[in-house]
Amino acid sequence: MTLCLMTASGLPGVENPARAQLNWILNCQGCHQADASGSAGGAPNMAGVMARFLRVEGGREYLGRVPGVAHAPLSDDALAELLNWSLYTFDRDHVPENFNPYTADEVRRLRAAPLISEAASKREELVELFVHE
Amino acid sequence: MAFFDRLTERATRRLAQTTSRRSLLTALGSALVGAGAVPLLPVARASGTGGSGGYPGVAPQTTGNVQDPGDPTSCDYWRYCAIDGFLCSCCGGSQNACPPGTEMSPITWIGTCQNPADGRSYIISYNDCCGKTSCSRCLCNRNEADRPMVRPQANNDTNWCLGTESTVYTCSTAVILGVALED
């Protein structure tokens, strides 16, 4: 299973890393900054944190439902690719061994129920689960 | 005292006999008109012309690079395809740098513009410069691919002076981040 999801880029679930990076720059970097460190009072830090959400209950769903992801003007497969690329680019060390990359179908389902005002509190809740690990 | 009377009378009569009653006005008038003909203070001669952007007092600029054509003080400069604001090029900075005393916002709105030199699309980051009062020179509002406020990451009516010490907007730059992929 994992083998067939491996792609030319070497990153699971990332068909075209150049396209993923372009989509990152155009849709995310403006607020999250080039190194994903985020901005005070604005977009949260992702670097070294993002993949840790995959390790807690509800975290995988959270990443597909945060407003910036769910509302990104991208197709489902481009968005799934961008999510996978971001995980490996900004927090490779925390990506679980058994990580199944996001697929277009899963992303379509998640982004249909976006987090709006509760995004920040949901994040705090999840961070609380893994921060003491 | 008679001496003073005579002296005053003689002086007054001599003045009245040798000068016309309007000579003072004549002399003052000549001085005023003459002063206008000879500038006494340095004059901002650039204000007469203006660069290709047409803003008075701003001389034309060039990047000096044939791959980066156009005048960065003009709204028509290719990198400004989605700009909404004052050009830092006209405000003591450049298309890449902030004027002295201002801080470049790390939070930006990012889009693409086509470079006429090679026909390729480049990723442009409109970093605002913040911390001084608005520059107010060379206002440009091209808005290509600008999106409404419900898409904040692609909306240029937002004040992008975020993450800076001051949220006061001064002017905008247009920094090249890279080459965009063709779809």
Side-chain angles (χ1 to χ4, degrees):
Chain A
M1 182 65 183
T2 315
L3 202 67
C4 72
L5 287 167
M6 288 291 263
T7 53
S9 69
L11 298 180
V14 181
E15 196 187 318
N16 182 347
R19 180 178 66 178
Q21 185 178 17
L22 176 67
N23 285 334
W24 162 262
I25 294 173
L26 288 177
N27 297 291
C28 319
Q29 177 176 318
C31 294
H32 280 286
Q33 305 213 40
D35 61 356
S37 60
S39 48
N45 170 41
M46 292 159 56
V49 177
M50 187 186 181
R52 298 183 76 178
F53 285 93
L54 298 173
R55 297 168 172 270
V56 295
E57 179 90 31
R60 183 179 174 107
E61 291 74 20
Y62 165 80
L63 292 182
R65 294 175 64 203
V66 289
V69 172
H71 293 147
L74 295 171
S75 65
D76 294 329
D77 59 337
L79 187 57
E81 177 184 73
L82 175 55
L83 268 175
N84 296 326
W85 177 88
S86 304
L87 284 163
Y88 283 106
T89 303
F90 300 118
D91 196 16
R92 181 185 286 263
D93 291 347
H94 288 120
V95 177
E97 293 271 319
N98 59 353
F99 170 61
N100 273 326
Y102 286 91
T103 63
D105 282 340
E106 183 182 7
V107 163
R108 182 183 307 124
R109 190 166 46 75
L110 292 175
R111 73 194 303 195
L115 296 167
I116 311 289
S117 54
E118 66 274 36
S121 58
K122 182 73 181 166
R123 184 177 200 274
E124 277 175 34
E125 205 178 290
L126 293 167
V127 167
E128 193 57 34
L129 292 177
F130 66 67
V131 76
H132 301 297
E133 269 179 18
Chain B
M1 285 306 274
F3 170 73
F4 285 110
D5 280 348
R6 272 201 311 277
L7 188 69
T8 308
E9 187 187 342
R10 205 180 299 155
T12 310
R13 284 185 188 282
R14 189 179 300 148
L15 187 68
Q17 281 161 2
T18 55
T19 64
S20 103
R21 275 181 295 166
R22 290 176 178 164
S23 65
L24 178 68
L25 289 176
T26 313
L28 266 177
S30 313
L32 283 171
V33 173
V38 184
L40 298 174
L41 294 168
V43 176
R45 306 209 180 271
S47 65
T49 55
S52 56
Y55 193 89
V58 175
Q61 294 176 15
T62 169
T63 62
N65 178 352
V66 290
Q67 289 297 315
D68 189 359
D71 179 353
T73 67
S74 161
C75 297
D76 295 331
Y77 179 56
W78 68 275
R79 289 195 211 175
Y80 297 150
C81 72
I83 208 162
D84 178 0
F86 308 116
L87 303 181
C88 287
S89 305
C90 300
C91 307
S94 77
Q95 65 274 34
N96 300 312
C98 286
T102 64
E103 185 187 1
M104 187 178 272
S105 171
I107 310 300
T108 71
W109 105 269
I110 298 175
T112 60
C113 292
Q114 194 181 43
N115 184 343
D118 58 9
R120 301 172 79 180
S121 290
Y122 286 75
I123 309 169
I124 307 292
S125 174
Y126 296 97
N127 293 62
D128 284 348
C129 298
C130 318
K132 299 280 181 197
T133 47
S134 291
C135 162
S136 300
R137 305 175 90 183
C138 300
L139 174 65
C140 298
N141 201 357
R142 285 180 59 183
N143 291 339
E144 289 165 32
D146 181 35
R147 291 287 173 265
M149 292 292 267
V150 292
R151 289 230 176 266
Q153 72 271 37
N155 178 263
N156 64 13
D157 297 326
T158 317
N159 179 358
W160 283 90
C161 280
L162 306 165
T164 44
E165 215 162 278
S166 164
T167 56
V168 176
Y169 167 76
T170 307
C171 61
S172 297
T173 63
V175 180
I176 296 178
L177 294 186
V179 183
L181 299 175
E182 302 302 326
D183 274 335

